[in-house]
Amino acid sequence: MSDMGSLQELRQSRINSEQPLVAFDFDGTLTIRDSFTQFLRWKAGPGGWALGLVKLAPALAAYGRDRDRGRIKAASVKEFLAGMDRESLEAEAERFADLVWDRFMRPDALKVWNDWGERGAHRVIVTASPETTVEPFARRLGAEALLGTPLTFDAEGRVTGAFDGANCRGEEKVRRLKAAYGEDLVLTAAYGDTSGDAEMLAIAQSPGFRVFAQRP
């Protein structure tokens, strides 16, 4: 683990009254594609990924009907990660971040991220992806906070295949921000790229929708 802060420290989300508060979606905004899907695919390998998709066929069919992203994501966690211990998952997430960083992160998004950092902003990543798999990216970015979809671990520290709370998209992003920074938070700027970011962008003084397009 790097010395840039633990997941618990990233969750503490402290801010002083003088700092601009800036929120960034992660997948598709700071990155060029969905990080969690790519992580699962990388971890499973070609054969394991193909077999997993076959087993997920009922869940995929259900998603086609109800469009419940949280449910299909939970099914994917159960299929590909259930039973994995926390330390192993964290180590694999670290390896994945190191492997894909140079071909995964948008240069124009990183420039804006760094510009806000130079201005003393409190930068929070607000993502629907699991916090555990985004954490290595957040630490490498020097994020002040990370709000995502937390995985559930059992008493032995193994992934149960469920989430500890709602999928962090849509209204849940705003709820999580208010829980971290107060009901009267002032969101200086926010960046996102899908309908799942609309509510977060709506409360920002300066919203940025699909403003990053560069590829590594």
Side-chain angles (χ1 to χ4, degrees):
M1 303 289 286
S2 88
D3 60 358
M4 294 177 67
S6 67
L7 178 53
Q8 182 58 41
E9 289 169 337
L10 286 170
R11 281 176 174 167
Q12 287 174 352
S13 308
R14 293 174 182 168
I15 184 172
N16 67 55
S17 59
E18 304 300 321
Q19 286 181 289
L21 174 61
V22 182
F24 286 77
D25 169 56
F26 187 65
D27 299 305
T29 299
L30 287 166
T31 72
I32 61 171
R33 59 176 61 93
D34 183 85
S35 64
F36 188 49
T37 299
Q38 293 302 310
F39 171 74
L40 294 179
R41 189 169 189 165
W42 167 79
K43 182 184 176 303
W49 177 249
L51 180 59
L53 290 181
V54 171
K55 293 180 178 179
L56 282 172
L60 290 168
Y63 176 70
R65 294 190 299 271
D66 60 29
R67 312 305 291 180
D68 188 330
R69 293 173 182 266
R71 185 177 299 174
I72 187 63
K73 189 183 298 178
S76 299
V77 170
K78 186 174 183 179
E79 175 60 37
F80 291 106
L81 299 181
M84 189 174 187
D85 68 86
R86 188 193 299 266
E87 289 187 1
S88 296
L89 178 57
E90 290 175 348
E92 291 286 83
E94 191 82 37
R95 286 180 55 207
F96 175 73
D98 288 342
L99 180 68
V100 304
W101 179 274
D102 289 338
R103 63 176 187 269
F104 214 60
M105 310 302 291
R106 292 191 184 278
D108 50 352
L110 293 180
K111 182 179 185 306
V112 172
W113 173 275
N114 291 329
D115 286 346
W116 277 115
E118 291 172 2
R119 293 163 64 180
H122 180 101
R123 299 160 300 174
V124 53
I125 295 172
V126 190
T127 176
S129 286
E131 291 176 339
T132 307
T133 58
V134 177
E135 179 195 358
F137 292 95
R139 287 191 282 103
R140 187 162 179 169
L141 284 164
E144 281 69 43
L146 166 64
L147 302 174
T149 306
L151 296 171
T152 297
F153 296 87
D154 64 21
E156 296 180 347
R158 298 186 180 278
V159 179
T160 66
F163 290 117
D164 185 15
N167 189 31
C168 189
R169 75 182 307 272
E171 288 286 354
E172 183 64 13
K173 290 198 172 190
V174 175
R175 191 195 71 77
R176 293 290 302 278
L177 282 166
K178 289 183 176 180
Y181 302 106
E183 289 290 329
D184 59 347
L185 87 160
V186 176
L187 191 58
T188 305
Y191 302 92
D193 74 308
T194 70
S195 60
D197 302 309
E199 290 85 352
M200 180 175 74
L201 296 177
I203 67 170
Q205 294 176 335
S206 178
F209 181 68
R210 294 184 180 176
V211 296
F212 307 128
Q214 288 183 358
R215 301 178 68 86

